[in-house]
Amino acid sequence: MKRSDRPLAPHWTEVAFRLLPFADAASADLPLGQLLRLSLFQVTVGMATVLLNGTLNRVMVVELGTPTWLVALLIAVPLLVAPFRALIGHKSDTHRSVLGWRRVPYIWFGTLMQFGGLAIMPFALLLLGTPDRFEIGLVAAIAAFLLTGTGFHVTQTAGLALATDLAPESKRPRAVALLYVMLLVGMMFAAFVIGGVLMDYSATKLVQVIQGCAVLTIVLNVIALWKQEARNTKVTAPDRETPVFSDLWQAFVRDGRNARLLTAIGIGAMGFAMQDALLEPYGGEILGLSVGATTGLTGAWALGSLVGFTVSGRCLARGWDPLRLSGAGIVIGINAFLLVLFAGPFASPAMLYCGALGIGLGLGLFSVGTLIEAMTIAKSETAGLALGAWGAVQATCAGIGIAIGGLLRDLVAALVQSGDAPATMATRASGYATVYMLEIALLLAGLAAIGPLVGSRRNRPVDEVGPHGQPFGLREFPT
C-alpha cells in the first residue's frame, strides 16, 4: 500500500476530546469541532459562577470583612433571575427579527450584561471595604451581581436552545449534555487558574483577575457564536403560533405526583445550596487556607459534579430508576457534609476537599435524576413546562437556601460569641456547623419526600430511560 493511501490517524486533540462524556453527540450536521466551539459560552458561564459563588464571597468575608449575611444575599441575587429562564427561552423561541435570528440577539445581549457586571464588580467590592463609601459600594455590588447573573442566565438559556436547533433530533439530548459537561470543565479550569493567580492576594490582582474574566467572556462568546445560527426569516415571522402557558400549567399541576416531586426537588436543592456562600470562608477562617487554596474547593466541587454527571449517564443507560439515583446522590451528600463538618475540629484540609468533592458528586446525581424524572412524567406537549418548573424550583430554593445559610451563620455566631476578643476555634466554627447540620436535616427530609415516588417503576428497560432511547434529554439544565 502506498503511503498516501493509508488512512490518516486522528489528531491527538481529536482523540482527547472524544474521551469526553457524550462526545458521540457529534453528527454530520453538527461536527464535534463546531459543537465544542459553541460550548465556549458554557465555559464563560462556569467562569462567572466560580467568581460569584467561590472566589468573591471568600474575599468579601475574610479579606474585606463584609458580613456573611450580606455576602450571601449578594450571591443569591443572580439565582433569583433563574426562575425566568423558561420565559427567556419562550421569548427566544418567538423572537421577531428582520434579520432572521432567534438566539443570537439573546446570547449577544446576555454576553454584554456579563461583561458589564464583571467590569464594575472589582471597584464595587473595593468600595465595600471602605467604611465611608460602603453605601455606594453596596449599590454598585448589587448592580454588578445582578447584571452578571442575568447575563449568564440569558446566555446559557439561549445557547442551549441554539444547540437544540443545530443538532439533529436524535442527538439533541446528548449534544446539550456535552454542553453541560463543558460547563463543569470550565468551572474546574477557572477555579484552579483563578486560585493560582490569587495565591498571593492583593487588591490589584483581584481587579486584574475580574476584569480579565470580563474581556475573556466577550472573546470566547464571540468565537462561540460566530456563524452558528443561520438566518431564517420564516422562523422569526410575527404570525407564528405559540402555546398558551396557562393551559399547560393547569394540566401539569393537576397531578399530585408532580407537586410532590417539585417539593422534593426544592428541599434537596436548598439542602445542597446553603453551603455555597460558606464553604470557602469556612476554609479560610477556620482552617486558615489561602485565597488560592479555598478557590480550589470550587474546583473540587465541579470535579465531583462532572463525575456525578458521567456516572448518572452510565447508570441511567443501564436502566436505573432516576429517583433511586437521586436518593443515592442525597446519601452521598449527607456523608459529604459530615466530612465538611468534622474538617474543622480535626483541622484537616484533606477532609474539607473530600467533602467538597462529595457535595458536587451528590448534587450531580440528585439533579440529573430529578430532571430525568420530570421529563418522564411530562407528556410531549408539557415537556418544556416540566423542565422550566424543575429549573425554577431548583434555582429559587437554592437562592433562598444561600441567603438563609449566610443569615443563620452570622446569627448563631453572634449569639454564642462572648465579649472576649480572642474567641476559641469552636466558637468561631459554631455558626458554620449549625448550617451544615441543618443541611443534613434538609437532605434527610428530601430523601423522605422522594421515597414514596419511587413506587414500582424499578429496573426499567434501557429503551425507556429517555426520549429517543437516550439516557438524557437535557434541554434547560441551569447552572
Side-chain angles (χ1 to χ4, degrees):
M1 178 183 295
K2 295 181 181 180
R3 187 181 183 89
S4 59
D5 293 335
R6 296 176 183 174
L8 295 176
H11 195 268
W12 68 269
T13 55
E14 183 180 353
V15 175
F17 282 128
R18 289 194 177 277
L19 294 177
L20 287 171
F22 309 108
D24 58 345
S27 63
D29 297 331
L30 185 60
L32 184 60
Q34 182 182 354
L35 182 58
L36 290 174
R37 181 165 65 86
L38 177 62
S39 71
L40 290 178
F41 78 86
Q42 288 284 68
V43 175
T44 65
V45 171
M47 184 169 57
T49 303
V50 168
L51 280 175
L52 267 59
N53 293 350
T55 305
L56 295 184
N57 82 76
R58 180 251 151 84
V59 168
M60 285 188 286
V61 171
V62 180
E63 273 70 28
L64 301 180
T66 309
T68 308
W69 65 268
L70 180 57
V71 175
L73 289 177
L74 287 174
I75 295 174
V77 166
L79 290 176
L80 297 178
V81 183
F84 298 98
R85 290 171 61 100
L87 178 61
I88 295 168
H90 173 68
K91 290 295 184 180
S92 70
D93 287 338
T94 59
H95 183 64
R96 300 177 181 180
S97 172
V98 295
L99 298 177
W101 284 327
R102 291 188 301 167
R103 317 299 184 185
V104 168
Y106 286 86
I107 298 175
W108 176 241
F109 284 109
T111 299
L112 292 180
M113 285 189 283
Q114 279 182 260
F115 174 81
L118 292 176
I120 65 176
M121 187 172 292
F123 305 105
L125 299 183
L126 294 179
L127 289 175
L128 278 177
T130 306
D132 56 343
R133 296 288 188 270
F134 179 81
E135 291 80 6
I136 300 176
L138 180 59
V139 173
I142 293 174
F145 275 79
L146 183 61
L147 271 175
T148 305
T150 304
F152 71 64
H153 279 303
V154 173
T155 299
Q156 189 181 51
T157 302
L160 293 178
L162 177 58
T164 61
D165 294 340
L166 297 176
E169 187 175 358
S170 61
K171 294 284 187 176
R172 285 175 184 172
R174 290 186 170 271
V176 180
L178 179 60
L179 292 185
Y180 186 69
V181 170
M182 293 305 295
L183 169 69
L184 299 177
V185 171
M187 290 182 65
M188 284 191 296
F189 276 104
F192 292 130
V193 171
I194 294 172
V197 174
L198 293 178
M199 193 65 71
D200 297 322
Y201 171 79
S202 68
T204 303
K205 282 189 176 181
L206 179 65
V207 173
Q208 292 173 341
V209 165
I210 299 178
Q211 293 197 328
C213 291
V215 174
L216 195 59
T217 296
I218 288 285
V219 173
L220 292 182
N221 283 6
V222 169
I223 295 174
L225 195 58
W226 186 255
K227 293 186 177 181
Q228 292 281 10
E229 184 179 17
R231 295 173 57 184
N232 188 348
T233 54
K234 293 182 179 180
V235 176
T236 58
D239 56 349
R240 285 187 63 199
E241 293 185 3
T242 56
V244 180
F245 274 100
S246 58
D247 296 340
L248 295 178
W249 178 254
Q250 290 296 328
F252 182 76
V253 299
R254 200 173 292 127
D255 188 347
R257 178 183 174 86
N258 297 355
R260 188 179 184 94
L261 176 63
L262 294 179
T263 301
I265 292 171
I267 295 174
M270 184 178 295
F272 276 108
M274 289 181 73
Q275 55 79 35
D276 280 3
L278 302 179
L279 192 60
E280 294 199 24
Y282 179 73
E285 183 178 356
I286 306 303
L287 297 179
L289 300 179
S290 66
V291 176
T294 55
T295 301
L297 292 171
T298 303
W301 173 89
L303 176 61
S305 298
L306 180 60
V307 172
F309 195 79
T310 305
V311 171
S312 299
R314 295 184 182 276
C315 292
L316 291 170
R318 295 177 181 176
W320 273 49
D321 190 311
L323 290 178
R324 292 184 183 275
L325 190 66
S326 299
I330 291 179
V331 172
I332 293 174
I334 292 172
N335 287 277
F337 280 115
L338 288 174
L339 283 175
V340 173
L341 185 63
F342 288 108
F346 284 96
S348 174
M351 291 180 65
L352 185 59
Y353 276 95
C354 290
L357 184 72
I359 292 172
L361 175 60
L363 179 61
L365 296 176
F366 171 78
S367 299
V368 172
T370 53
L371 176 59
I372 296 304
E373 181 64 20
M375 292 188 63
T376 303
I377 64 177
K379 300 178 181 179
S380 59
E381 63 271 14
T382 60
L385 180 63
L387 294 170
W390 177 88
V393 169
Q394 188 180 57
T396 303
C397 291
I400 294 173
I402 291 174
I404 291 177
L407 292 169
L408 185 61
R409 181 265 175 197
D410 281 0
L411 177 62
V412 173
L415 290 176
V416 302
Q417 286 182 2
S418 62
D420 301 332
T424 64
M425 181 70 71
T427 302
R428 288 191 287 118
S430 58
Y432 295 104
T434 303
V435 175
Y436 295 140
M437 287 188 290
L438 178 59
E439 287 185 288
I440 292 173
L442 284 173
L443 291 182
L444 288 172
L447 195 63
I450 283 181
L453 294 176
V454 176
S456 59
R457 297 191 311 106
R458 59 178 70 179
N459 298 326
R460 295 181 304 161
V462 177
D463 59 351
E464 293 182 7
V465 295
H468 313 297
Q470 301 290 342
F472 282 89
L474 308 182
R475 299 289 295 268
E476 296 288 343
F477 211 110
T479 320

